[in-house]
Amino acid sequence: MYRKGEETRELIVDTADRLFYERGYEHTSFRGIAREAGVPSGNFYHYFKAKEDILQAVINRRVEMIQRQLDDWQAEFPTPLTRLKRFVQIARNSQQGAIQYGCPVGTLTSELGKERTHNVQPSVMFDVFINWLEQQFLALGFKEQSRNHARRLLAYLQGVIVVSHAYHDEEFLHQEADVLDEWLEQLAASGNT
Amino acid sequence: MYRKGEETRELIVDTADRLFYERGYEHTSFRGIAREAGVPSGNFYHYFKAKEDILQAVINRRVEMIQRQLDDWQAEFPTPLTRLKRFVQIARNSQQGAIQYGCPVGTLTSELGKERTHNVQPSVMFDVFINWLEQQFLALGFKEQSRNHARRLLAYLQGVIVVSHAYHDEEFLHQEADVLDEWLEQLAASGNT
DNA sequence: GTCTATACCTTGATAGAC
DNA sequence: GTCTATCAAGGTATAGAC
């Protein structure tokens, strides 16, 4: 049963999520979110008493969406290799966003990592990916190396997006996604034996 | 012949460089730089008429320092392979900074890449690295693939630093530096034949 | 729950005395 | 060249009428 209040709250988190991605956290103001969402800034503090609370809500929202996406892929793709390839496919699909704004998770994590004062843990977004990737490598037959493979795959993709974003270079993004696909196929072949 | 003014200007750029790294560009204020440098904020505008001018000065300074470093390595290490390995060594040496604040070049590039209004090009810092790395791969016998190898090496290292920074994990940084060293040795062996 | 008005602070930037 | 005083704008945050 949704009241008006819940809808307003969701609208605020939606808008904040988008603006944090497009402008960065520091560069996004309370008033900016309020303006963009069409919510009077005074009304804001009924839902979030500090800017950091919105940040936490945005991170929670992203974690949920990522987990939902990964669960869907788990059901949709039959083998670990096809699932891992679907993960790499993220880069190709989100090319517009990645080229223009970088990775939503990576850029926010990098930005917040500089601050020592706040209490949020942006790395939980990475955790969801790494845990899921680890499961795929375990299913491929890897043991204690699975987590390393998972982190390496995530790290490589992060680096590729950082460089592609810096140069606004779609071609490099696609090219390296192909390289990753090849690497996964070789790894899958060696892991099964 | 250095006047007092030149020294003050250098002090400002030094301080801004450090604070942009430790806090990020948006999170660093004019007054913050002035306070930290011990220069009255009013005096500031004698040297830089806008915040973006300091940013440009900091980027120029970093490009010069990177180029000087790479020139030194070019003279100090006799073979392309040892030079490439020295590049990877950056990650191991700068572990404290990389773990705490991320890569000075990567984080600034990611942050500024979101903004569409300013006129600075942070990717020039990447250019210096990529051009130098490309020369090393060319010297190893690679042809048109050299630039790709250079970008891939840089991208991988960027990604590793992003993940290490997110988790404050020195171990992953060292481990992946070892992996990169191995990759370089294999590549060098295949390139010479 | 909603919205206006506003308090209080810091920001980037300037004018002008020394 | 140096420094104080100050500006307008925008930041986070709050009080209180509806």
Side-chain angles (χ1 to χ4, degrees):
Chain A
M1 179 182 135
Y2 278 75
R3 292 161 313 177
K4 178 70 191 309
E6 276 303 312
E7 285 170 26
T8 305
R9 199 191 146 91
E10 269 183 48
L11 178 65
I12 291 172
V13 178
D14 271 17
T15 308
D17 192 350
R18 204 189 81 236
L19 293 183
F20 288 170
Y21 179 39
E22 292 176 359
R23 306 178 183 175
Y25 176 68
E26 279 298 330
H27 200 66
T28 303
S29 71
F30 243 82
R31 279 189 165 96
I33 302 170
R35 259 194 306 268
E36 200 82 4
V39 176
S41 49
N43 197 359
F44 230 92
Y45 287 80
H46 177 67
Y47 300 98
F48 303 97
K49 64 178 192 297
K51 193 184 175 187
E52 200 175 292
D53 294 342
I54 305 183
L55 175 61
Q56 186 62 63
V58 166
I59 289 176
N60 291 345
R61 184 179 181 277
R62 289 192 187 180
V63 164
E64 281 171 30
M65 294 191 70
I66 293 166
Q67 189 63 61
R68 201 174 307 144
Q69 179 71 271
L70 296 176
D71 289 345
D72 286 350
W73 291 347
Q74 192 74 22
E76 185 179 352
F77 297 95
T79 67
L81 179 59
T82 50
R83 288 177 199 137
L84 289 168
K85 284 187 163 193
R86 183 59 189 82
F87 170 76
V88 173
Q89 186 68 22
I90 293 178
R92 281 184 272 248
N93 290 357
S94 74
Q95 57 173 258
Q96 301 298 344
I99 293 299
Q100 211 173 344
Y101 306 115
C103 171
V105 179
T107 52
L108 186 61
T109 304
S110 288
E111 184 183 354
L112 298 176
K114 305 238 177 203
E115 257 309 306
R116 296 152 302 281
T117 55
H118 58 62
N119 294 316
V120 296
Q121 279 286 353
S123 57
V124 295
M125 294 183 289
F126 275 155
D127 285 333
V128 184
F129 280 116
I130 291 176
N131 289 336
W132 185 83
L133 292 171
E134 184 185 18
Q135 291 306 314
Q136 310 310 319
F137 284 112
L138 282 169
L140 277 176
F142 293 96
K143 310 243 173 193
E144 69 278 356
Q145 275 301 305
S146 294
R147 195 155 187 88
N148 269 337
H149 286 322
R151 292 199 291 178
R152 186 167 298 137
L153 175 53
L154 184 85
Y156 190 8
L157 202 62
Q158 282 296 315
V160 167
I161 295 177
V162 166
V163 171
S164 301
H165 177 216
Y167 289 102
H168 301 283
D169 185 343
E170 284 184 35
E171 206 182 320
F172 184 66
L173 192 61
H174 278 80
Q175 168 193 306
E176 296 305 301
D178 292 343
V179 170
L180 269 171
D181 275 347
E182 271 183 57
W183 177 66
L184 286 173
E185 276 175 31
Q186 287 173 13
L187 211 57
S190 76
N192 275 328
T193 56
Chain B
M1 181 179 133
Y2 277 76
R3 293 162 312 178
K4 179 70 191 308
E6 276 303 312
E7 286 170 25
T8 306
R9 198 192 146 90
E10 268 183 50
L11 178 65
I12 291 171
V13 179
D14 272 17
T15 308
D17 192 351
R18 203 188 80 236
L19 293 182
F20 288 169
Y21 179 39
E22 292 176 0
R23 306 177 183 176
Y25 176 68
E26 277 300 329
H27 199 63
T28 303
S29 71
F30 243 82
R31 281 187 165 88
I33 303 170
R35 259 195 306 268
E36 199 84 4
V39 176
S41 50
N43 196 0
F44 231 91
Y45 286 80
H46 177 67
Y47 299 99
F48 303 96
K49 64 178 192 295
K51 193 184 176 187
E52 201 175 290
D53 293 343
I54 305 183
L55 174 62
Q56 186 63 62
V58 166
I59 289 175
N60 290 345
R61 184 179 181 279
R62 289 191 187 179
V63 165
E64 282 171 29
M65 294 192 71
I66 293 165
Q67 188 63 61
R68 200 175 306 144
Q69 179 71 274
L70 295 176
D71 288 345
D72 286 351
W73 292 347
Q74 191 74 19
E76 185 179 350
F77 297 95
T79 67
L81 180 59
T82 50
R83 288 178 199 137
L84 288 168
K85 283 186 160 191
R86 183 57 189 84
F87 170 77
V88 173
Q89 185 68 21
I90 293 178
R92 281 184 273 248
N93 289 357
S94 73
Q95 57 173 260
Q96 301 297 345
I99 293 300
Q100 210 172 348
Y101 306 116
C103 172
V105 179
T107 52
L108 186 61
T109 304
S110 288
E111 183 182 356
L112 297 177
K114 305 235 178 204
E115 258 309 306
R116 300 151 300 282
T117 55
H118 58 62
N119 294 316
V120 296
Q121 278 286 353
S123 57
V124 295
M125 295 183 288
F126 275 155
D127 285 332
V128 183
F129 279 115
I130 291 175
N131 289 335
W132 186 82
L133 291 170
E134 185 186 16
Q135 292 306 312
Q136 309 310 319
F137 284 112
L138 283 169
L140 277 177
F142 293 96
K143 310 240 173 194
E144 69 277 355
Q145 276 300 306
S146 295
R147 194 154 187 90
N148 268 337
H149 286 323
R151 290 199 291 179
R152 185 167 299 137
L153 175 52
L154 185 84
Y156 191 6
L157 202 61
Q158 282 296 314
V160 166
I161 295 177
V162 166
V163 171
S164 301
H165 177 216
Y167 290 102
H168 301 283
D169 185 345
E170 286 185 35
E171 205 181 322
F172 183 65
L173 192 61
H174 278 80
Q175 168 193 306
E176 296 305 301
D178 291 343
V179 170
L180 269 172
D181 275 347
E182 271 183 56
W183 177 66
L184 286 174
E185 275 175 32
Q186 287 173 12
L187 211 57
S190 75
N192 277 326
T193 55

